[in-house]
Amino acid sequence: MQVRDLSRRVFLEKVGAASLAAAASVLPGRAIAAAPETLEARPGTARLAPKEYQPTPIWGYDGGVPGPTIRVNQGARVDRRFLNSLPQPSTVHWHGVRIDNAMDGVPELTQAAVAPQATFDYAFAAPDAGTYWYHPHNRTWEQLARGLYGALIVEERDAPDVDRDEILLIDDWRLTEKAEIAENLGAMHDWSHGGRIGNWITVNGDGFWTSTARRNERLRLRLVNVANARIFSLSLAGLDGWVVALDGQPLETPQRAGRMVLAPAQRVDLIVDVTGETEASIVSHERNGSYAVATFKLEESSAARRPEPAAPLSPNPVTPIGPLNTARRADLLMEGGAMGGMMGAMMGGRSMDMRGLVQQGKVWAFNGRADMSDQPLVSAALGETVRIRIENRTGWPHAMHLHGHHFRKVLEDGTLGAWRDTTLMQPEESFEIAFVADNPGNWLLHCHMVEHSASGMMTWIRVS
């Protein structure tokens, strides 16, 4: 495993080489409502690169990267007045929360985009304990790449037995040799290939995230992939533990933590014991080698190791999936992208060839459409079980995210996989997901490689 050098030379090697590649809350019984806390999106700076460099200009919630961590108890309300101090419209999407539809933050589907210097009041209950996050949903491909994200943690009523709880938001940035964000945002090469892949990885906005720990200490680690498009392959060194939740939803039986693949927007909760002698780390496995993205320097401890395994977390009140043989069915065909062979698609009510689509910034299609249809993919009655068969007829992986719900993959033997809100599809792969349409409203279904979403990979479902 390579250890990161803090030197200017190593930074230039990593960055320079890669750069060359392509409503207010009203309290009962009160005459006057208290104003909600403000969450402001504004320009700021962050020290992403080694200390020899100037801080990087970013956009951040409250001016920082990451934005403030929001912690509430399960069932409590989140109330934030979003103030947009950016030079372009924005919204806030509360990723993974089974939220009121009007609070979901999707322009033109659930709300109008918030204009510069305007505000919008987000107020909703958080029904499920777990690890969630928030980010913009307007020009996401730019605003997320500039640093707009933060963690939303919903605490269990019965907290697990751990010594410490660490949130690790893992991102990649495309930086220039001056440690500035590369301004080739919206590059069609990125949009038609794997999305905007960065060249500098940070954890919680720090390229060299380090903390301390004690041997035999038990930690809860909440890993969140906040990158535009990078898929992280992670493992543990000097840490031994269990996966206890995926995308905020507890596993019925904790699983031994081995190699963990996190697509954009996915989360994994771990409970781990510190077993290393001098340090412990989270290791990212890349094509050019493996290296620690987060390191714990170990202090001496006489504490005895806890018995294993970690106990399951308390389940969330997600509606169980009904009979699959009577479920409402739909098909979603994914086409396009570089080397995909798509010749054209419908857009704006007419057929366009690929040249015309590219001129409109579109290179992908769902069911032969490169724009959002005025008709939903699925129109389901409240409480109805839905099955969607998704076929990835492209040469690229895609992280499919359903808003307002959690779903389960239908496995080949007819059983169901873990609850998720985002699933990774490999090239030429197909499978079904199933969920109960128990949250009324219009809900987005899209690829969370956000450049893919912007360039054609968006559709929606209606629950009524």
Side-chain angles (χ1 to χ4, degrees), residues 94-356:
W94 309 89
H95 188 109
V97 183
R98 296 187 297 127
I99 200 169
D100 296 337
N101 189 245
M103 299 289 106
D104 198 43
V106 180
E108 312 310 323
L109 193 65
T110 70
Q111 69 169 98
V114 182
Q117 304 310 313
T119 64
F120 185 90
D121 287 354
Y122 290 96
F124 57 91
D128 301 325
T131 302
Y132 307 97
W133 65 299
Y134 59 94
H135 62 79
H137 228 289
N138 187 64
R139 293 178 64 92
T140 318
W141 49 272
E142 176 179 3
Q143 295 182 12
L144 189 64
R146 293 190 185 277
L148 278 164
Y149 55 79
L152 170 60
I153 305 300
V154 183
E155 303 280 9
E156 294 91 355
R157 294 185 175 96
D158 297 315
D161 177 22
V162 296
D163 297 306
R164 199 161 85 236
D165 187 321
E166 291 279 5
I167 307 164
L168 303 174
L169 302 174
I170 310 172
D171 195 6
D172 72 342
W173 304 75
R174 186 177 293 180
L175 300 181
T176 70
E177 294 183 4
K178 294 182 179 180
E180 298 171 344
I181 294 173
E183 291 294 333
N184 57 346
L185 294 146
M188 189 52 62
H189 182 277
D190 293 337
W191 290 36
S192 62
H193 289 71
R196 182 180 172 95
I197 305 298
N199 49 30
W200 188 248
I201 294 174
T202 63
V203 170
N204 297 345
D206 186 345
F208 309 100
W209 189 92
T210 304
S211 184
T212 59
R214 293 176 292 110
R215 197 164 191 274
N216 294 329
E217 193 172 19
R218 178 162 283 190
L219 311 176
R220 179 177 187 164
L221 304 179
R222 304 174 185 260
L223 311 184
V224 186
N225 183 353
V226 298
N228 275 37
R230 182 185 289 271
I231 300 167
F232 286 100
S233 178
L234 305 172
S235 65
L236 305 176
L239 299 166
D240 184 26
W242 305 266
V243 176
V244 295
L246 296 170
D247 291 355
Q249 299 301 321
L251 299 182
E252 294 178 4
T253 303
Q255 303 295 316
R256 268 289 176 192
R259 185 71 66 91
M260 298 166 288
V261 176
L262 258 68
Q266 288 188 323
R267 290 90 65 211
V268 59
D269 282 47
L270 304 166
I271 291 180
V272 301
D273 292 329
V274 180
T275 59
E277 294 295 333
T278 59
E279 70 175 31
S281 58
I282 298 170
V283 179
S284 179
H285 301 274
E286 307 287 343
R287 285 185 295 181
N288 61 346
S290 301
Y291 55 89
V293 294
T295 300
F296 295 91
K297 300 294 185 183
L298 301 190
E299 301 171 342
E300 290 188 10
S301 172
S302 58
R305 188 172 179 182
R306 286 176 171 84
E308 56 180 6
L313 302 177
S314 299
N316 282 320
V318 182
T319 306
I321 292 171
L324 293 176
N325 60 340
T326 59
R328 181 177 294 274
R329 294 173 179 261
D331 294 308
L332 182 63
L333 175 62
M334 310 161 72
E335 296 179 289
M339 301 169 287
M342 186 174 78
M343 304 302 294
M346 295 294 295
M347 183 173 175
R350 63 189 182 92
S351 178
M352 285 191 182
D353 61 17
M354 284 305 297
R355 177 176 294 182

Side-chain angles (χ1 to χ4, degrees), residues 48 50 54 61 67 107 112 134 168 179 185 210 212 222 317 332 378 399 414-415 419 452 458 461:
L48 307 176
Q54 293 296 315
Y61 292 110
Y134 59 94
L168 303 174
L185 294 146
T210 304
T212 59
R222 304 174 185 260
L332 182 63
V378 175
T415 60
W419 289 106
H452 295 174
M458 285 197 296
I461 69 168

